[in-house]
Amino acid sequence: MTTSSHTVFAKALHPSNERLKRLFLQFAGRDGLTAPFRRSIHSRVSLGFIAWFVLLIVVCAALPTSQASAIEPVKISRDDTAVDLTKTTEIDLNRGEAFQVSTAAGNDGIRRRIEVRASSPAHQGDWAVFALANVSDEQLERVIVAPHYRLVNSKVFWPDLGSQRIISITPSEGFSLDRLPSDDADVFRITLNPGAVVTFVAELATPKLPQLYLWEPNAYKDTINAFTLYRGIVLGIAGLLAVFLTILFVVRGTSMLPAAAALAWAVLAYVCVDFGFLSKLITITASSEQIWRAGTEVALASSFVIFLFTYLNLNRWHVHLGYVTFAWVVGLALLFGVAIYDPSIAAGIARLSFALTATAGIVLIIYLGFNRYDRAILLVPTWTLIILWLIAGWMTVTGRLSNDIIQPAHGGALVLIVLLIGFTVMQHAFSGSSFNQGLFSDLERQSLALTGAGETVWDWDVARDRVVTIPDISSKLGLSSGALHGAVRNWLPNLHPDDRDRFRATLDVLLEHKRGRLNHEFRIRADDGHFHWLHIRARPVLGANGEIIRCIGTIADCTEQKNTVDRLLQDAINDNLTGLPNRGVFLDRLQTLLTVATSSDAVRPTVMIIDIDDYGRINDKHGISAGDNILIALTRRLRRLLKPQDTLARLYGDQFGLILTSERDPARVADFADAISKAIMVPINFSNREINLTASIGLVSWVDQQESALGLLADAELAMYRAKRGGGNKVEPFRPAFRDNTSDKLQLETDLHRAIERGELTMVYQPIVHLTNGELAGFEALMRWEHPKRGTVSPLEFIPLAESCELIMPLGMFALERAATDLMEWEKQLGKMPIFVSVNLSSAQLINNSLYSDIRALLGRIECDPKQLKLELTESVVVENPEQARLVLTKLKDTGISLALDDFGTGYSSLSYLTRFPFDTLKLDRELVTAESQHRDIVLRSVISMATQMGMNVVAEGVATDEDGTELAGMGCTYGQSFLYGAPVGADAIARLLKEQQQRAKKV
């Protein structure tokens, strides 16, 4: 074996086998042996040495040293400015601290083996190997670039958020490569000699190497500079957007602007980290860069959710959307903490949240767009761009798009989205507003104010005696264009004759005093002959000599306002339907006549109250318009019977008042009253039908000088009510005895008017129980009146009184509202309970047109579950007006309120009403329950079975004994109500009963 061959074998040994290498060299003559000795043994041991050395090679190969197979080189020419080495680079993971690899074959075809040691014992043993071959005839300078972060193929879940990729690179020839300074990539400079084939071993900092490029230095520098310019422009736009939207939020203050500003700042933070701008401001390590990147992605996802919720004002559509959004944002906020410990998980969840938000936005925009919500429609272009951006982002992170431009383009598109969002927000936030108020001069603001107010400028050039209106007021009056321009005297012929002198005098005074203001109203004739009211407000302008040179101001048409004032004055003293004096004027005139009567025997007034019999029936049958026309016709008839000194007034509704002063003789007064009655009885033709009317007339003549107008009117009303109680269609003179019979009733009526305000009305509740187990099922609400003087007033007394004096609606709504309020108070104290409260409904309430809307408003105000309220009606209530009752009850049923037919078993037609009306509960009358007839059980069983088959619950009233309750339960009756189960008690006592029942249930 030659010396050169010995050296080759020695080099092939692993560096750690120094002893073997030294021994081999001694035998080979390289380590101090004498030449004679070498020659003497050379021939004898040459064959044995070869065999021994082969054994050494096998042993060395078996030693624990990592190695890799040889690779093929990438050919590099002078024209190659950028070569992607990613796919041709072999990655070896967990190969230990020492890594061996076979080099690419050189020009001589020989593959050599090299070994590279890690720079630190803590290295994970991850290596990358690639080879380059310079096929040109000149030396090539190149740089190897491994970017720290690459969006391409970073994945959606547990994404790669970047880090240092390469610690060092060792070539098969020469020394380790020099690292060039760079914040966002690992850059190494290499020099390739002509025809050289060099294998490079890279010590990896992470197992992942997203990209490895070989760049021509100048081309790489130009690319970096180009991207630097682009990134600077995008960063500038993003920063301006964030600052601008923040300023708009401070100026405008609408909720959508801070949400848009927050999104803009989040985008700016994301772009700063992605473009490496943040590392220029603060020191960022490889590990902290992942936290910053994950944090910005979480901020982007959070602000995106907040913007969608705020801009679409989702809380307006459903309160649960607000709760969902709040929980979503709180969850994303917690990700900021997760990003510190595991940035990859936080970033993955943030990316998923962004996709879910975009999907939810599509659904919301489509739904709200079909509901014609303008904000959703304005967001369509922006959301379309967001969806396209998301699709491109998904294709990028999954590796379907791998172009080097895609990552900076992705950030630029995000800024473009925020720009479009900013335009959308401003378009909506400032539509119809005076946002640019600071951009106008004082003169422009005044001009805009006049235009917006619809005012017309009135300009009188005094020196030239020329009037100009801008815009021309002549066209508004139907006159020819410019008809009122020119000398001020041109206005006088068109003015109302009563206003001409006053108009002229007002201008003369202004010119004479040379100060003050012109504030004048006058009438001017339009082309159609009607007069319009105009109002001039102007002030004089003085010249250098102190004389008025101009008078300028505004002129406005105030005809509508003047007519409104006249109508209000007219309505204040006259009835707007008949034109007759109203009650106030009637009493005033009567009091004046009484004052005159005390000093003159010639005046002896008689007061008549005329009330049309069954007028309400006419309105119900023929309609309100027919009733109004009938009143107008009656007014004309009655006026024909009067003399100028008499007074006819409409007091209210179908009631007229008459002050008769033209007749003093009692007989003639009676004849006059009879004439009025006959005039009313004459049939009235309406829509080819004859309507016959009668009237109840009460009259009283003045005889007591101490009598007041109100007292005289009250006496006439008493006489009229007596005529009505007598059957109507009669004239009833007043007699003092009438006062004794009605004083108590009138006083009680007066007290009832004030009972609600004074808190004298209360509600008590009688329990309704389940007959099967005796548990509370509900209560019937009953009204009580504790009169301060009379004590307890029975409902049988004050309920009919309330119906006769039109107080039943306030009382009925009071009962319903009080019952619903107490029910909500019980549930507030004890929680949700399966109980109901029944409230009685009168016939006067049922035929009232406002009952449905009043109950709807009550339910909305108290927020009571309608299913827990039950309205009870007797058969007599629905029989008065069956069709009206059916319509109202059907509407009430639609709200969810239950309906019960009370006192069943006492009427002759109850069965027919069970099928015609939407009742869900049947209350058996106590007389039916407690009857001692031999057929009682048969009737009860039949009625209960029928109601049950119709889907109704049955309540038995007046259950006397427990045995009766058990018997009724066996028949299928659901509930029972009587003093056996409890007397009517107040709301506090009911709360205690419910609490006791709850405690018993818990013990069981």
Side-chain angles (χ1 to χ4, degrees):
M1 182 178 291
T2 62
T3 300
S4 60
S5 62
H6 296 160
T7 303
V8 171
F9 279 113
K11 288 182 179 180
L13 293 176
H14 193 274
S16 61
N17 299 326
E18 291 294 334
R19 186 171 176 274
L20 292 176
K21 184 186 297 185
R22 187 166 52 253
L23 180 62
F24 173 77
L25 292 176
Q26 287 177 351
F27 277 100
R30 291 292 188 92
D31 200 15
L33 296 178
T34 60
F37 179 76
R38 290 195 303 272
R39 283 192 299 270
S40 64
I41 66 173
H42 184 274
S43 59
R44 288 176 294 179
V45 298
S46 56
L47 293 176
F49 177 77
I50 293 175
W52 177 78
F53 184 70
V54 171
L55 179 62
L56 285 178
I57 294 298
V58 173
V59 172
C60 291
L63 292 177
T65 302
S66 298
Q67 59 184 355
S69 60
I71 58 174
E72 295 299 323
V74 178
K75 297 179 181 180
I76 308 299
S77 67
R78 183 181 58 185
D79 298 330
D80 294 330
T81 58
V83 178
D84 188 357
L85 304 177
T86 308
K87 295 181 179 180
T88 59
T89 301
E90 293 185 0
I91 305 297
D92 294 285
L93 303 179
N94 299 319
R95 302 299 295 271
E97 179 183 355
F99 178 66
Q100 285 189 359
V101 63
S102 296
T103 65
N107 293 328
D108 54 2
I110 298 176
R111 296 181 181 272
R112 297 172 175 81
R113 183 172 293 276
I114 62 175
E115 180 181 283
V116 180
R117 284 188 169 274
S119 59
S120 170
H123 185 248
Q124 300 296 325
D126 301 328
W127 306 87
V129 182
F130 60 93
L132 301 177
N134 184 358
V135 297
S136 65
D137 56 356
E138 60 183 43
Q139 191 179 60
L140 299 177
E141 295 287 338
R142 294 290 186 269
V143 290
I144 298 173
V145 180
H148 291 168
Y149 175 73
R150 196 161 185 259
L151 184 64
V152 175
N153 210 21
S154 62
K155 304 189 183 311
V156 177
F157 301 102
W158 290 277
D160 180 9
L161 298 179
S163 65
Q164 183 184 2
R165 301 299 179 179
I166 298 177
I167 300 174
S168 64
I169 298 179
T170 303
S172 59
E173 297 178 358
F175 300 99
S176 297
L177 303 184
D178 295 332
R179 179 187 291 271
L180 299 181
S182 177
D183 294 329
D184 54 1
D186 297 322
V187 183
F188 298 89
R189 181 186 297 276
I190 65 172
T191 301
L192 296 176
N193 294 321
V197 178
V198 182
T199 301
F200 297 88
V201 179
E203 182 183 355
L204 299 181
T206 63
K208 296 180 180 180
L209 186 63
Q211 189 182 50
L212 189 66
Y213 253 95
L214 184 69
W215 282 91
E216 195 276 324
N218 291 329
Y220 178 68
K221 185 182 298 184
D222 293 342
T223 303
I224 294 298
N225 292 337
F227 276 117
T228 301
L229 177 61
Y230 167 77
R231 290 170 177 173
I233 294 173
V234 172
L235 280 170
I237 296 174
L240 287 175
L241 275 174
V243 173
F244 180 66
L245 290 174
T246 304
I247 293 174
L248 287 185
F249 159 57
V250 174
V251 173
R252 183 67 178 174
T254 57
S255 59
M256 66 179 70
L257 286 174
L263 180 60
W265 284 109
V267 169
L268 177 62
Y270 175 83
V271 173
C272 284
V273 174
D274 191 54
F275 287 177
F277 180 73
L278 188 63
S279 61
K280 310 236 186 274
L281 301 178
I282 59 176
T283 302
I284 298 179
T285 63
S287 59
S288 63
E289 180 182 359
Q290 297 182 10
I291 298 175
W292 280 102
R293 193 176 298 279
T296 56
E297 292 193 15
V298 172
L300 192 62
S302 304
S303 59
F304 190 44
V305 174
I306 295 173
F307 168 75
L308 179 65
F309 173 81
T310 306
Y311 181 80
L312 293 180
N313 198 8
L314 296 181
N315 199 45
R316 159 189 171 183
W317 298 96
H318 203 291
V319 66
H320 292 314
L321 291 176
Y323 298 147
V324 171
T325 304
F326 178 76
W328 197 333
V329 174
V330 169
L332 290 175
L334 296 177
L335 284 182
F336 285 103
V338 177
I340 298 176
Y341 297 98
D342 196 331
S344 184
I345 291 180
I349 297 176
R351 292 180 180 185
L352 179 61
S353 172
F354 208 107
L356 292 176
T357 306
T359 305
I362 296 175
V363 176
L364 290 170
I365 289 173
I366 293 175
Y367 173 75
L368 298 178
F370 279 110
N371 284 276
R372 300 184 180 275
Y373 187 41
D374 55 345
R375 292 193 184 187
I377 297 173
L378 287 174
L379 202 59
V380 169
T382 304
W383 220 256
T384 302
L385 185 59
I386 289 174
I387 298 303
L388 294 176
W389 180 81
L390 275 175
I391 294 174
W394 172 76
M395 296 178 68
T396 301
V397 298
T398 55
R400 289 171 173 79
L401 290 178
S402 58
N403 195 295
D404 292 338
I405 303 176
I406 189 63
Q407 183 170 336
H410 194 74
L414 192 58
V415 175
L416 180 61
I417 290 172
V418 175
L419 181 63
L420 188 55
I421 287 176
F423 288 149
T424 305
V425 168
M426 287 187 292
Q427 179 182 0
H428 185 85
F430 297 109
S431 58
S433 65
S434 55
F435 162 62
N436 294 320
Q437 51 183 312
L439 303 178
F440 300 114
S441 65
D442 291 341
L443 182 61
E444 288 172 326
R445 278 199 293 269
Q446 294 171 7
S447 177
L448 288 173
L450 287 174
T451 303
E455 299 281 1
T456 299
V457 177
W458 186 79
D459 184 10
W460 178 28
D461 188 343
V462 178
R464 295 190 299 165
D465 190 19
R466 176 175 175 80
V467 174
V468 175
T469 57
I470 306 173
D472 189 5
I473 199 172
S474 303
S475 57
K476 296 182 180 180
L477 299 174
L479 304 176
S480 59
S481 179
L484 295 178
H485 289 178
V488 72
R489 61 178 178 271
N490 294 343
W491 286 61
L492 296 178
N494 296 298
L495 297 183
H496 193 280
D498 295 340
D499 296 337
R500 291 172 187 170
D501 293 338
R502 189 161 54 90
F503 180 77
R504 187 187 296 110
T506 302
L507 296 181
D508 291 341
V509 169
L510 184 68
L511 294 176
E512 180 179 354
H513 292 280
K514 301 175 184 177
R515 58 186 177 85
R517 292 179 178 271
L518 182 63
N519 193 350
H520 183 68
E521 290 182 350
F522 58 91
R523 286 163 290 183
I524 190 168
R525 186 175 61 250
D527 185 58
D528 57 4
H530 293 87
F531 283 93
H532 288 242
W533 280 94
L534 298 182
H535 187 185
I536 290 180
R537 290 187 294 265
R539 61 180 299 176
V541 178
L542 302 180
N545 56 358
E547 297 292 332
I548 295 178
I549 61 174
R550 210 175 196 90
C551 187
I552 190 167
T554 62
I555 182 170
D557 190 334
C558 59
T559 305
E560 185 175 351
Q561 293 89 328
K562 293 289 288 186
N563 291 339
T564 301
V565 172
D566 292 341
R567 284 195 299 269
L568 290 175
L569 292 175
Q570 180 72 14
D571 293 342
I573 60 176
N574 292 329
D575 174 56
N576 57 7
L577 176 64
T578 61
L580 295 174
N582 58 19
R583 184 183 180 90
V585 177
F586 181 84
L587 289 173
D588 182 70
R589 291 185 183 180
L590 180 58
Q591 189 62 51
T592 302
L593 288 172
L594 295 181
T595 303
V596 174
T598 57
S599 58
S600 174
D601 294 336
V603 179
R604 289 292 183 269
T606 297
V607 177
M608 297 184 184
I609 300 298
I610 307 166
D611 191 271
I612 309 301
D613 297 329
D614 292 333
Y615 179 75
R617 176 179 55 82
I618 296 174
N619 277 336
D620 294 338
K621 184 176 180 180
H622 302 285
I624 296 177
S625 60
D628 291 344
N629 289 328
I630 288 172
L631 291 179
I632 294 172
L634 290 178
T635 300
R636 292 172 184 168
R637 290 184 183 180
L638 296 178
R639 274 179 170 172
R640 297 192 192 103
L641 301 176
L642 302 181
K643 293 182 180 180
Q645 60 269 41
D646 300 329
T647 299
L648 178 66
R650 185 187 181 196
L651 302 183
Y652 46 77
D654 60 332
Q655 193 173 104
F656 295 88
L658 191 148
I659 305 175
L660 183 66
T661 58
S662 59
E663 301 292 347
R664 296 178 54 187
D665 182 66
R668 295 182 65 86
V669 171
D671 293 340
F672 182 84
D674 188 58
I676 289 178
S677 179
K678 291 179 179 179
I680 294 174
M681 292 174 62
V682 176
I684 297 176
N685 291 319
F686 183 80
S687 298
N688 297 324
R689 289 176 292 180
E690 285 190 353
I691 299 176
N692 297 305
L693 300 175
T694 59
S696 298
I697 302 175
L699 62 88
V700 59
S701 297
W702 179 79
V703 293
D704 186 1
Q705 294 187 359
Q706 301 300 322
E707 191 70 70
S708 66
L710 279 173
L712 206 60
L713 180 61
D715 290 343
E717 287 179 339
L718 287 177
M720 183 270 295
Y721 285 127
R722 177 55 66 94
K724 274 197 172 296
R725 283 197 294 271
N729 190 22
K730 63 184 298 186
V731 178
E732 187 72 44
F734 171 76
R735 291 190 293 272
F738 293 169
R739 295 175 181 169
D740 298 334
N741 296 333
T742 58
S743 57
D744 291 343
K745 183 178 179 181
L746 290 175
Q747 183 61 45
L748 191 63
E749 180 181 334
T750 302
D751 293 342
L752 186 57
H753 275 279
R754 302 174 183 175
I756 299 178
E757 301 174 3
R758 294 176 176 175
E760 298 172 5
L761 293 173
T762 57
M763 300 299 296
V764 295
Y765 303 92
Q766 184 173 24
I768 301 174
V769 301
H770 290 280
L771 290 177
T772 54
N773 54 20
E775 297 293 333
L776 290 172
F779 307 92
E780 181 178 0
L782 304 170
M783 189 179 296
R784 294 291 183 262
W785 181 14
E786 291 298 327
H787 195 280
K789 295 181 180 179
R790 301 180 55 178
T792 301
V793 182
S794 172
L796 298 177
E797 184 177 357
F798 70 81
I799 293 297
L801 180 62
E803 292 180 346
S804 65
C805 63
E806 299 181 355
L807 279 178
I808 192 61
M809 278 301 294
L811 288 183
M813 292 309 299
F814 165 79
L816 191 61
E817 182 173 3
R818 185 72 264 167
T821 303
D822 288 341
L823 178 61
M824 297 304 294
E825 185 63 27
W826 298 333
E827 292 195 346
K828 183 178 179 181
Q829 296 176 13
L830 305 173
K832 189 72 174 178
M833 298 173 293
I835 60 174
F836 61 85
V837 176
S838 297
V839 182
N840 290 284
L841 200 66
S842 71
S843 59
Q845 290 177 269
L846 190 59
I847 63 174
N848 192 292
N849 294 327
S850 64
L851 177 64
Y852 171 74
S853 58
D854 290 344
I855 291 180
R856 283 283 304 272
L858 173 65
L859 294 176
R861 184 170 65 253
I862 300 181
E863 297 183 355
C864 176
D865 187 356
K867 297 179 180 178
Q868 294 183 277
L869 290 179
K870 193 184 295 290
L871 299 179
E872 293 189 6
L873 301 90
T874 61
E875 179 185 336
S876 59
V877 170
V878 296
V879 77
E880 291 184 8
N881 195 336
E883 195 59 31
Q884 170 76 5
R886 186 182 62 82
L887 293 175
V888 174
L889 293 179
T890 301
K891 293 174 67 177
L892 290 175
K893 185 69 175 178
D894 291 340
T895 65
I897 290 180
S898 300
L899 301 175
L901 181 61
D902 197 8
D903 298 339
F904 184 83
T906 60
Y908 65 91
S909 60
S910 301
L911 293 178
S912 64
Y913 291 116
L914 290 180
T915 58
R916 293 182 58 188
F917 297 98
F919 294 113
D920 50 43
T921 301
L922 193 66
K923 297 193 73 172
L924 301 179
D925 186 77
R926 67 180 65 251
E927 295 183 3
L928 182 61
V929 175
T930 60
E932 297 182 358
S933 171
Q934 58 179 348
H935 301 297
R936 165 188 172 271
D937 292 348
I938 298 175
V939 173
L940 284 176
R941 197 177 302 276
S942 300
V943 172
I944 294 173
S945 175
M946 174 190 64
T948 305
Q949 291 179 9
M950 295 177 67
M952 295 184 182
N953 293 319
V954 182
V955 181
E957 293 184 298
V959 181
T961 63
D962 291 332
E963 290 75 12
D964 290 342
T966 304
E967 183 180 1
L968 287 168
M971 294 180 184
C973 184
T974 313
Y975 307 113
Q977 176 185 351
S978 69
F979 281 88
L980 175 65
Y981 306 116
V985 293
D988 294 338
I990 294 299
R992 289 193 294 270
L993 287 176
L994 292 172
K995 187 175 182 181
E996 292 173 0
Q997 178 168 297
Q998 282 189 344
Q999 292 174 350
R1000 289 196 303 270
K1002 291 180 180 178
K1003 291 180 181 179
V1004 175

